[in-house]
Amino acid sequence: VQLQASGGGSVQAGGSLRLSCAVSGLIFGSYFMGWFRQAPGRQPVFVAGIRRNDNTRYADSVKGRFTISRDNAKNTVYLQMNSLKPEDTSVYVCAAAPIRSILAPVPTEDYHYNAWGQGTLVTVSS
């Protein structure tokens, strides 16, 4: 299983970035996909998750600014980040969690996710 994140970079406050995560080695449509912030030595922090493009979940800190989407034909999940703030600075990691139930909500806890990518760095300057 491979999750390859890309699209990070440096941007000024108020700017935008679009992250991508290309996934291989699993049945993409059978997984929730999530984006987390990861600091060295610390637990990943949930940012956004998706089951379908009409079934998403966001951390309160990014609601209205970030949009998660997926393209199952391309096995890719995206994170569009607008109105970026310096506090959004972090390594962003994509992760996959198996969908075990038709009624299961998009998980926010990192322990539900069993496949992780390497992360991409986002730096927002003031």
Side-chain angles (χ1 to χ4, degrees), residues 101-125:
S101 166
I102 194 170
L103 297 177
V106 176
T108 61
E109 298 87 354
D110 63 297
Y111 59 80
H112 288 288
Y113 293 80
N114 60 6
W116 294 81
Q118 87 293 353
T120 185
L121 177 63
V122 172
T123 304
V124 185
S125 58

Side-chain angles (χ1 to χ4, degrees), residues 10-56:
S10 297
V11 64
Q12 290 197 324
S16 298
L17 282 174
R18 189 194 195 204
L19 306 184
S20 299
C21 177
V23 180
S24 61
L26 52 78
I27 302 173
F28 187 67
S30 297
Y31 283 76
F32 297 106
M33 294 302 302
W35 286 98
F36 289 77
R37 291 171 175 160
Q38 177 79 71
R42 303 192 70 174
Q43 197 107 0
V45 175
F46 177 78
V47 174
I50 186 168
R51 179 171 184 159
R52 302 181 304 270
N53 285 333
D54 61 349
N55 186 346
T56 58

